[in-house]
Structures are given as C-alpha cells and as structure tokens.
Amino acid sequence: MNCIFCDIVEKRAKAEILYENDLVISFLDIRPVNYGHALVIPKNHYKDFLSMPKSELDEVIKITQKISSAVYNSLKPDGFNVITNNGTAAGQSVFHFHFHIIPRFTNDSFSFRPQLKNYENGTMKEYAEKIKSEIKL
Ligand code: 5GP
Ligand code: ZN
C-alpha cells in the first residue's frame, strides 16, 4: 500500500517530527495554512476517523491536546483549529487518519464561509431522529 504517512512513520520519508511515542506521531504539515500547522496521526494505518479503534483514538486525542497546547504557547496565535477531514468531499487527501492543528490569526487567509441553511418546519426534528436511531454506544 502506498501511504506517505506510513512512510513518515517508518522513516522512509522525511518529516519535521514534533513528538512520537509507540502509538502516535506528530509532525509539521508540509503545506501549512499558517506556519506551525501540525498533524497528529496514529502510527498504525487507519483510513479515517470512523476506522479508528477506541484505545488508539484516545491516545491520538490526548496527544492532539498536548501538541495544541505547545503550538498555542510557543507561537502565540490568536486561536487554533483542530479538524479532521473525512472523505474526498470533505477535503481529505491523505487516507491515513489525522488531526490538523492549525494556528489561527485574526484576518488570516483561512476561512470557512459556508452558505448557512435554515431548517424548514419540522425537519430539524426529522434529522435529529434519523441520527439518533444510528447512535450505537
Ligand atoms: P487532508 O487533506 O487529508 O485533510 O490533509 C493531508 C495533509 O497532509 C495536507 O495538509 C498536506 O499538506 C499534508 N501532507 C501531504 N503530504 C505530506 C508530506 O509528504 N509531508 C508532510 N509533512 N505533510 C504532507
Ligand atoms: Zn498509512
């Protein structure tokens, strides 16, 4: 399987590594939205958020909070985003699960400016019912 993030984990490809342990590695994104844009990934290959086993997801989230704190305290941005893109339609381009930590500055180039919708009468409840019927704990 051809996966650039697996290559980074295995040190077959270079990366500016911020941190690693047995399960997780964090490195700088090669094409940052803002300088210091970091990625946090499981060392094992899972294609997306839904494929992550809970124990490894717990570790990825824990390390994502630690790296976010380091990005925030070292670079002093005005804020930061933690995001994960899932599926091509959502902007995913590397199909090895990862969180982005993106330092943000007031009036920087990055923006979500969606055309926000309104729910028609009653449809909000319909959407909630559909989703609730698939919640499996
Ligand atoms: P996605 O689009 O899947 O949410 O995010 C993938 C990210 O991986 C992109 O922001 C892209 O810049 C980054 N990326 C792709 N290839 C490499 C690489 O070889 N090295 C590093 N450090 N980042 C990469
Ligand atoms: Zn991979």
Side-chain angles (χ1 to χ4, degrees):
M1 188 191 37
N2 211 340
C3 172
I4 181 61
F5 286 1
C6 284
D7 287 348
I8 288 171
V9 169
E10 298 299 336
K11 312 283 162 42
R12 291 187 294 262
K14 273 202 194 163
E16 196 58 51
I17 294 171
L18 300 171
Y19 173 82
E20 67 181 308
N21 65 22
D22 288 350
L23 293 174
V24 175
I25 185 167
S26 175
F27 49 92
L28 291 180
D29 194 305
I30 202 167
R31 294 291 316 278
V33 170
N34 284 317
Y35 299 123
H37 178 168
L39 302 172
V40 183
I41 74 170
K43 284 192 165 175
N44 292 325
H45 182 97
Y46 302 105
K47 75 178 166 83
D48 62 16
F49 189 48
L50 296 184
S51 313
M52 286 293 298
K54 185 183 178 309
S55 58
E56 286 173 68
L57 181 61
D58 286 351
E59 185 66 14
V60 173
I61 288 176
K62 189 183 93 183
I63 299 303
T64 298
Q65 189 188 41
K66 294 219 178 275
I67 304 296
S68 297
S69 173
V71 166
Y72 189 70
N73 290 329
S74 60
L75 305 181
K76 313 247 185 289
D78 299 319
F80 65 96
N81 292 106
V82 173
I83 60 169
T84 168
N85 300 323
N86 288 271
T88 308
Q92 187 175 11
S93 61
V94 176
F95 289 81
H96 179 135
F97 174 68
H98 51 281
F99 280 119
H100 294 256
I101 301 167
I102 305 175
R104 297 297 309 278
F105 299 89
T106 307
N107 300 322
D108 64 17
S109 66
F110 190 51
S111 67
F112 288 107
R113 299 239 185 278
Q115 289 204 329
L116 302 179
K117 301 180 193 322
N118 289 304
Y119 283 103
E120 303 293 329
N121 278 348
T123 59
M124 194 172 188
K125 192 163 189 57
E126 269 174 41
Y127 277 90
E129 293 303 333
K130 270 190 193 167
I131 294 166
K132 285 196 289 188
S133 74
E134 286 291 336
I135 295 177
K136 297 175 181 116
L137 297 176

